[in-house]
Amino acid sequence: MENFPVINLENINGEERKAILDQIEDACQNWGFFELVNHGIPLELLDTVERLTKEHYRKCMEKRFKEAVSSKGLEDEVKDMDWESTFFLRHLPTSNISEITDLSQEYRDTMKEFAQKLEKLAEELLDLLCENLGLEKGYLKNAFYGSRGPNFGTKVANYPACPKPELVKGLRAHTDAGGIILLLQDDKVSGLQLLKNGQWVDVPPMRHSIVVNLGDQIEVITNGRYKSVEHRVIAQTNGTRMSVASFYNPASDALIHPAPVLLEQKAEDTEQVYPKFVFEDYMKLYATLKFQPKEPRFEAMKAVGSF
């Protein structure tokens, strides 16, 4: 199998720009995932996020998780539960970081700084996608903007060592509903896999990298040129895996639809046109169908669409 795409952004504004854009295009079309190095986020900040996230889990969440799963037992395969311990931070349009009671002030400040860096990187990546797609700069950001700007938040997860990983998933297979996702993952304990050509492929742990994947809304706006890809987390026996995944998503009231210029380009190639809908309506459907195939979700949005 071909190697998982690792893309070095160091010379994106230099003479290697075209080659890097080609790598991103190939990854978007054929993988739906790629891993970034030299992405511009300070490495010491990544180290601090990792240290504080692991400390917070040990101090505030590990005992709770063990108590919760001990009542479940693992005698038979578990299909309605994920072997993960999580909490959510919202950054945009308004922040909830001050409302999470058990975070240290250092952790709050670090996550605020990290979110600002990730927001900038997400918007830079969206513009690189625009350049590859032949869309004007800022098109994807504007498509996500709605009336209040994008939804941007972070799922902080730990996947503890599991005594019987064959009976439960760390996180069941799904595609992501939103826009573009940026992940800081554990560089020692693996577990994240994506589905490619019917085979589950490991997303390799790599120190100081940011893993990027595309959500369902990018698939709709590109009318299928780029695809969101099914992925999962495998429970492991060899230690706790950290995952800090940040989701740059459309505003709740953003109207999502294929970019007209891409429909014009593809008119001769395909008759398939993705639906037009308000993002919030898609999320309501996704909430009940997250762990099922995405295609019926798209068809359902066509059926209810009145635009």
Side-chain angles (χ1 to χ4, degrees), residues 12 57 59 67 72 112 188 193 235 249 271 287 302:
I12 187 61
Y57 172 72
K59 288 179 183 175
E67 289 171 351
K72 289 274 187 181
K112 283 181 184 175
K188 296 180 179 65
Q193 297 182 326
N249 289 348
E271 295 179 2
K302 283 183 183 178

Side-chain angles (χ1 to χ4, degrees), residues 32-48:
F33 269 79
F34 50 95
E35 205 152 0
L36 291 178
V37 296
N38 291 313
H39 39 63
I41 299 178
L43 304 188
E44 59 270 23
L45 177 59
L46 300 182
D47 289 338
T48 304

Side-chain angles (χ1 to χ4, degrees), residues 115-165:
Q116 290 168 352
K117 302 285 189 190
L118 286 171
E119 179 189 354
K120 180 173 180 285
L121 178 59
E123 291 177 352
E124 288 171 353
L125 287 170
L126 288 175
D127 277 341
L128 294 177
L129 266 56
C130 286
E131 191 169 340
N132 274 336
L133 291 162
L135 300 172
E136 63 188 37
K137 186 176 182 180
Y139 182 93
L140 289 170
K141 180 181 176 180
N142 292 335
F144 285 13
Y145 202 81
S147 61
R148 299 179 64 202
N151 282 304
F152 183 47
T154 299
K155 174 187 175 183
V156 181
N158 283 274
Y159 298 90
C162 179
K164 297 180 180 177

Side-chain angles (χ1 to χ4, degrees), residues 82-84 155 157-159 165 168-174 183 185 190-194 200 231-236 241 243:
D82 299 310
W83 193 265
E84 63 173 359
K155 174 187 175 183
N158 283 274
Y159 298 90
V168 65
K169 294 288 185 292
L171 180 59
R172 289 162 284 171
H174 64 288
L183 168 70
Q185 69 167 346
S190 63
L192 179 60
Q193 297 182 326
L194 64 92
W200 287 105
H231 52 284
R232 67 183 185 183
V233 176
I234 296 298
Q236 304 281 27
R241 174 181 175 268
S243 164

Side-chain angles (χ1 to χ4, degrees), residues 71-87:
S71 63
K72 289 274 187 181
L74 279 180
E75 300 309 315
D76 300 301
E77 186 174 3
V78 179
K79 295 185 176 179
D80 61 350
M81 183 186 90
D82 299 310
W83 193 265
E84 63 173 359
S85 172
T86 66
F87 66 94

Side-chain angles (χ1 to χ4, degrees), residues 4 28 33 106 111 144 146 169 172 178 248 259 269 283 292:
F4 184 87
C28 288
F33 269 79
E106 183 187 13
M111 292 308 287
F144 285 13
K169 294 288 185 292
R172 289 162 284 171
Y248 189 100
D269 303 332
M283 287 306 295
Q292 297 181 32

